[in-house]
Structure formats: structure tokens, C-alpha cells
Amino acid sequence: MYHHGNKVIDEHRQGEALMLTHEGKKKLYIESYGCQMNFSDSEIVASILSKEGYATTKNPEEADLVLLNTCSIREKAEQTVRNRLSHFHAIKKQNPDVKIGILGCMAERIKEKLLEEEKLVDIVVGPDAYRDLPNLIKEAEDGRKAVNVLLSKEETYGDVNPVRLGGNGVTAFISIMRGCDNMCTFCVVPFTRGRERSRNPQSIIDEAKMLQDAGYKEITLLGQNVDSYLWYGGGLKKDFAKASEIAKASAVRFAQLLRSVAEAVPGMRIRFSTSNPQDMTEDVLHTIAAYDNICKYIHLPVQSGSSRILKAMNRGHNREQYIELVDKIRKIIPDCGLSHDMITGFPGETEEDHQDTLSLMEYVKYDFGYMFKYSERPGTYAARHFKDDVPDEVKTRRLTEIIDLQQKHSLYRNQQHIGKIEEVLIEGISKRSNEHWFGRNTQNTVVVFPKENAKPGDLVKVKILECTSATLLGQIVH
Ligand code: SAM
């Protein structure tokens, strides 16, 4: 796996313990795995539990409650959580009263069977049942195992004001929708996160304003498929056809939401993730182009460059349509940064399909990408109908080839920035040195430069002087 930028799966943050600063009577230790949505959900969980008197801790040994917010997207993600769980045996031995809960996609996928498989676990809670956590914890405290994996038609946690955990005070996520209706044949998300539903736009705008008042400078609107956002008074997207004429006529779609947010918090940068190619409309592109505070960057997963494989994946677009969309983006937003997700070794993928993937990458020359070996997920259409027939060594070789090509393209794209003066939002201290800040330009590329008198949260102008395939290096100009 390869990572850069505004990561879908941020390898550096996997398993990160999130912490709230205020003191409480009981102590919660919460670790998050997987996508940005999970990190955002943990903030919702912390908010729900703070009302129950829980303060967070970074030390699991002093916790009364240990929660792991889990990911099921690939087998490896689940294995990571299982390995991590075994570490908590010692903690439970030391403190038999500590309760251990599994939240998120793994909880939803495996359900109560998790209690049999992992004897250590007391509580299993799916992504739509976090409001029930206080009851479930009480049940566990009474000595019963507690499970709630009900999926919901309405739950968006729209009224829960997330507690910002472990962040930098500069950038924050706002969930705008939950679930996914795409039914990509490889993907477990529709089963673990339920059907697609959108959050009231007013609550999204209110959250953005609150973040601005708290000093945040950038927000990322989050959803599995943000371009499919549809608010018509609440309820599942698939039930829109049954809505009243008035509800239909006043429905809010993504372009409109993006515009409203951009206008509500003019001083803030706005990003969004993830876009699904078949749902991305031209008015979204014009909106991005029209507003200075909407970042010129689109994460546009493609998964494969072969139309035959895209069809088997049920992606809703073929290679030509994807290329057409990329051309349109380049025309409407000339400097737009583009990144991708790619899966290598999907069932039936031939050498020719793989070459199609490489040639598509060659055409787009993405700024960065996230690349994965296909991992069969139980219950998905692909698992039920296709044989996972690409040998692991072939998957690995193809993955290496696409990673190498991506690295070449990242370097090429980064070189195009050299000599330019770019606006960078400072997020914190660079990993490479205490004397340098790191931030991102509008395209989401990381920029590193000497600190001077600037500070995190400042939007500074940086002249780009050098680069690697991962980072731009520069100097503040006044
Ligand atoms: N909603 C986005 C989409 O549809 O493109 C992202 C969903 S997923 C959380 C992030 C990425 O994980 C996907 O884009 C895909 O590349 C990868 N992924 C999903 N299922 C996978 C599987 N079974 N094996 C390998 N990679 C997978």
C-alpha cells in the first residue's frame, strides 16, 4: 500500500489512540482503524460518552472502557485488530473490571460471533448504534455481553457535536452522509455501514461555523460517495422516488451543499472525500472552480483501467467515461490535483487488464494514489460469484508495478510546482525536522519549509524550490 496526501486510509494513524483533554470520573481509551469516516465516528462516540462522564485517556492501563473502532475493508485490516486485541489480555488480567468493546465495520460484519471468537470482548456495536452505547456499557457492567448491530434508515448523528480528538486544531472532518448504495462487487461497506442516507445541510453548516469559531481553518466533508449526497428531509436515498413532490423539488444535492458551506465559512478551506466517478456532476466541478476556498483537489478512485474489470466490479462507469470525466475536470479546473484508489488482482484480471490499468495511469498521471491487492470479503457479490484466481505473487508483482509507476508520476507532478509561489495552510511540525513546518497546498500535496515567524493555522505563501515524489520543499515569501 502506498500513501500520500489526504489519505483514505492513513497508515500513520492506524491504531492511533484519540484523547480528550478534560477530566472525567471514568476513563475511555479509544483506538481507530481504517478510513477517515471511522476517525470521525470515534469523535461522535467520544461525544456521546462524554455526556456519560467519560474522559479519554491515552493509557489503556488506566481505562475503565477500551474501544476499538474497526475496519473490514481488507482481511489484513481485520487481522490487525485481532492481533491488537491480544495485547489487551494483560490489561484485563490486571484489571478484570475493564470492559472491552469492538465498534465499527468488523462489529457489523461479524456481529455476535465476535463474542465467541474473541473471548475478551464484552461489547459489540455497529456504526449506526453508537447512541445505544451507554445502555450497552451498563449491560456489560452487569456482567452480560452486550451487542447492538442494528443498521438504521435515518441515523446520521446530525445533532451530535463531535468532540475533536487527537487533531491539530487546524483541520477537521465533517460527516455529511452515511452508508453506501453503490454495491461495488468487491466491497463490504454497504453491508457494514448500511444504506445511503444524507445529513441535514443546516446541521453541516452549523458544524462548519462552529469549527470556524473554534479556530479551525480547513474542513473535509466526508462520505463514501459525496457526489451522491441528497437531502430531502431525511431518509434513505433509495426512497427518494417515494418522497412528496415538495420534498423532491426542494431537495439539496452535493453541488448546492458545497456552495452553501463555501459561502457560510468564507475564510475556511473546504475539501471533500470520496467522489465516485459515475455520480460526479459538472455543476460540482463548476462550484469547485468558482470558489477560492474550495480546494482544487479530487480523490477519484477508479479501481481498474480495464472496462471489462470495471463492469465485473459494478463500478457504474467504464474506462472511456472515466477518461471523459478526467478531461472535463482538467478543462473546468485546470490546476486540479487528482488521486486514485486502485485494486490489483481482482478475480479474472489478465495481463492485458493490468496493462490497461498502467496505461490509464499513464494518461491521467495522478498526483498520488492508494493501491491495494484485492482481498476477498465474505458476503460480497465477488466472493459469492467469482473465484479469487489471481495468484498472490501475481497480485504482488502487479501492485509493485503500479506503485512504481505512481511514484514516477508523483515526482513528475511535484516537479511542475517548482518555481511557483503557492498558498499553504500550516498544519504542524514537519516529521523531518523541528525547524520546519509542514502544510498542504490546494492540490493536497505536502509542502515543507523553514518555520520563520509563521505558526500552525496560518495560510502562507511558499515558493517551491525542490521536491521528492512525496513532498514539495520551499521557503515562505513575504
Ligand atoms: N467509497 C469509495 C469508493 O467507492 O471508491 C472508497 C471506499 S473504500 C473505504 C476505500 C478503498 O478500499 C476503495 O476505493 C478500494 O480501492 C479499496 N477496497 C475496497 N474493497 C476492497 C477489497 N475487497 N480488496 C482490496 N481493496 C479494497
Side-chain angles (χ1 to χ4, degrees):
M1 224 266 313
Y2 186 62
H3 56 80
H4 272 314
N6 198 10
K7 295 163 194 132
V8 175
I9 301 221
D10 187 332
E11 288 294 331
H12 295 296
R13 296 193 68 190
Q14 297 303 293
E16 182 178 299
L18 300 170
M19 193 171 79
L20 236 181
T21 43
H22 80 247
E23 287 298 309
K25 278 195 273 315
K26 291 177 275 183
K27 294 238 178 340
L28 159 68
Y29 175 85
I30 182 164
E31 268 183 16
S32 307
Y33 294 83
C35 63
Q36 292 166 334
M37 197 69 145
N38 255 10
F39 283 78
S40 171
D41 279 1
S42 291
E43 298 185 332
I44 288 169
V45 167
S47 172
I48 291 169
L49 291 180
S50 77
K51 295 204 171 64
E52 301 293 307
Y54 279 92
T56 43
T57 171
K58 274 203 167 172
N59 178 7
E61 275 153 34
E62 62 168 30
D64 302 288
L65 178 64
V66 169
L67 297 177
L68 301 190
N69 196 354
T70 62
C71 171
S72 281
I73 201 81
R74 283 166 290 277
E75 197 183 343
K76 191 174 146 241
E78 291 197 357
Q79 204 46 57
T80 305
V81 170
R82 288 189 193 269
N83 294 345
R84 182 66 183 138
L85 259 180
S86 62
H87 281 81
F88 292 109
H89 272 293
I91 287 173
K92 192 127 184 172
K93 219 175 217 167
Q94 220 174 44
N95 172 14
D97 289 336
V98 67
K99 299 297 169 222
I100 296 185
I102 298 290
L103 314 180
C105 290
M106 232 175 124
E108 191 62 53
R109 193 183 80 70
I110 308 176
K111 303 188 169 52
E112 50 278 345
K113 257 183 73 193
L114 248 181
L115 296 173
E116 290 160 34
E117 293 171 10
E118 304 288 346
K119 296 278 183 264
L120 199 64
V121 174
D122 304 291
I123 306 168
V124 174
V125 195
D128 283 349
Y130 296 146
R131 284 184 208 267
D132 197 26
L133 263 168
N135 300 324
L136 298 167
I137 293 166
K138 280 195 193 83
E139 239 177 85
E141 282 169 353
D142 288 346
R144 293 188 299 271
K145 300 270 180 182
V147 182
N148 188 343
V149 288
L150 287 175
L151 288 171
S152 159
K153 285 185 181 178
E154 288 96 20
E155 184 61 272
T156 61
Y157 301 106
D159 59 321
V160 177
N161 182 23
V163 165
R164 304 292 160 183
L165 298 166
N168 52 13
V170 177
T171 61
F173 299 129
I174 300 184
S175 282
I176 64 163
M177 59 204 293
R178 299 185 73 83
C180 189
D181 280 355
N182 281 348
M183 300 307 279
C184 300
T185 57
F186 53 80
C187 190
V188 80
V189 168
F191 305 98
T192 60
R193 288 190 162 269
R195 302 302 299 252
E196 202 172 299
R197 68 219 96 117
S198 295
R199 177 178 170 191
N200 185 336
Q202 194 53 52
S203 75
I204 297 169
I205 290 166
D206 291 346
E207 195 174 326
K209 284 184 177 161
M210 233 163 355
L211 285 165
Q212 186 172 43
D213 291 344
Y216 284 83
K217 298 292 162 57
E218 182 182 294
I219 50 180
T220 301
L221 306 178
L222 280 187
Q224 296 297 334
N225 180 6
V226 290
D227 297 272
S228 174
Y229 176 89
L230 178 68
W231 171 257
Y232 63 99
L236 296 180
K237 168 140 182 177
K238 75 175 178 62
D239 293 335
F240 180 61
K242 292 186 244 159
S244 71
E245 288 312 311
I246 298 177
K248 278 186 194 159
S250 56
V252 178
R253 292 183 165 72
F254 186 56
Q256 202 179 331
L257 176 74
L258 203 52
R259 257 195 311 272
S260 307
V261 175
E263 285 171 12
V265 287
M268 281 182 114
R269 270 185 169 187
I270 294 147
R271 299 188 184 277
F272 53 87
S273 190
T274 302
S275 296
N276 257 72
Q278 78 270 26
D279 291 309
M280 186 145 220
T281 56
E282 214 170 302
D283 54 345
V284 168
L285 302 181
H286 287 297
T287 305
I288 300 168
Y291 288 87
D292 281 346
N293 60 332
I294 303 179
C295 289
K296 309 302 179 239
Y297 164 63
I298 301 173
H299 179 54
L300 198 63
V302 63
Q303 319 296 3
S304 168
S306 152
S307 289
R308 197 180 71 81
I309 295 293
L310 288 170
K311 186 148 188 265
M313 288 176 163
N314 190 34
R315 283 293 287 176
H317 62 85
N318 60 26
R319 176 189 172 96
E320 288 69 35
Q321 289 164 323
Y322 185 87
I323 287 178
E324 216 173 282
L325 178 60
V326 168
D327 290 346
K328 214 185 273 177
I329 293 170
R330 299 254 189 254
K331 208 168 115 215
I332 299 172
I333 319 163
D335 291 330
C336 195
L338 277 180
S339 60
H340 66 91
D341 288 350
M342 205 70 88
I343 296 177
T344 186
F346 185 79
E349 186 188 71
T350 62
E351 224 35 58
E352 200 184 329
D353 295 319
H354 174 57
Q355 288 305 321
D356 283 349
T357 293
L358 294 173
S359 74
L360 179 79
M361 289 174 69
E362 199 60 77
Y363 180 82
V364 183
K365 294 194 175 57
Y366 295 95
D367 294 76
F368 30 84
Y370 312 94
M371 292 153 275
F372 315 99
K373 280 198 267 186
Y374 172 70
S375 165
E376 186 177 272
R377 305 315 291 132
T380 57
Y381 184 94
R384 286 182 283 119
H385 295 91
F386 306 140
K387 190 163 178 278
D388 185 5
D389 58 358
V390 178
D392 192 57
E393 58 277 15
V394 175
K395 285 182 186 170
T396 305
R397 195 248 309 147
R398 289 179 187 167
L399 182 65
T400 308
E401 286 177 18
I402 62 172
I403 289 174
D404 288 349
L405 187 60
Q406 183 51 54
Q407 202 131 16
K408 205 178 103 191
H409 292 157
S410 294
L411 181 62
Y412 165 77
R413 286 289 173 204
N414 284 355
Q415 282 166 344
Q416 310 310 305
H417 293 265
I418 292 176
K420 292 188 179 160
I421 293 172
E422 304 193 332
E423 213 164 61
V424 177
L425 176 65
I426 303 179
E427 291 183 28
I429 295 169
S430 158
K431 266 177 265 147
R432 49 184 81 192
S433 107
N434 266 337
E435 309 303 313
H436 290 71
W437 293 127
F438 92 93
R440 287 166 210 273
N441 62 10
T442 188
Q443 290 90 356
N444 208 34
T445 308
V446 171
V447 186
V448 170
F449 48 93
K451 283 180 169 176
E452 298 198 19
N453 291 325
K455 59 183 187 312
D458 286 352
L459 206 54
V460 291
K461 294 219 176 331
V462 176
K463 178 154 189 181
I464 310 300
L465 302 169
E466 295 170 67
C467 73
T468 66
S469 65
T471 316
L472 300 174
L473 305 164
Q475 209 155 44
I476 295 182
V477 290
H478 299 281

